[in-house]
Amino acid sequence: PFSYGDERESLRALYRTGDYADIQVNATPVTGGARIDFVVQRNFYNNVVRVMGLKEPPSEAAALAAMRLTLGEPFRESSLRDAIDRLKDVLQSEGLYKPQINWTLTPHDDTRQMDVIVTVIPGMRATVGSFQVKNETPISDEELIKRSKIKLKDGLTTARLNRATQRLKKYFLN
């Protein structure tokens, strides 16, 4: 006889295998009882993940690390969207505030693997337009800007800001 408890346990057993992304249960009345069909959608797993079209920085390796789409992990559309959001954050930290990001999914039914190719059109990198210095030292604002070696219209990157910060720290320590 049909039992909802048995149905739930069967669903749990199927999900525990890790092979299925979605499972639906359909009941069809037949002579002498009911026929229970489990309709499944098999999981795909992350395979090749590439980022194309970047203008360094960031490097492709840094972009992939930020995305955190691990090889062999079950592919989820929601995980891909989260990865794209993390990629946007990395691009913004490197001065690329208006990137266009598209992706192509290539499923391989025979191996259950999913290739993800992300294409980035980075747009213009932010540049230094002006300086606003909050200076609580006896040193002039102009001297601090000169010592930082950041110039107007320079492209804005994390590395450039870090180097300027290190130069100023070194200057103050001396």
Side-chain angles (χ1 to χ4, degrees), residues 43-69:
N43 269 335
F44 278 88
Y45 300 91
N46 294 336
N47 187 30
V48 174
V49 179
R50 287 208 173 97
V51 179
M52 314 281 278
L54 284 175
K55 288 183 188 174
E56 289 192 28
S59 66
E60 182 179 2
L64 289 171
M67 290 176 66
R68 291 182 268 174
L69 290 176

Side-chain angles (χ1 to χ4, degrees), residues 10-24 38-45 74-76 112:
S10 295
L11 284 170
R12 285 188 192 109
L14 288 169
Y15 274 119
R16 269 194 302 266
T17 66
D19 290 337
Y20 307 107
D22 185 36
I23 303 172
Q24 295 180 4
F38 292 91
V39 180
V40 299
Q41 179 182 1
R42 293 189 62 194
N43 269 335
F44 278 88
Y45 300 91
F75 173 80
R76 300 276 185 270
R112 308 303 304 162

Side-chain angles (χ1 to χ4, degrees), residues 95 97 124-130 150-157 160:
Y97 290 97
M124 296 293 294
R125 190 174 305 276
T127 57
V128 178
S130 66
I150 290 182
K151 308 229 181 319
L152 291 176
K153 299 188 181 172
D154 275 352
L156 192 62
T157 65
R160 186 166 280 144

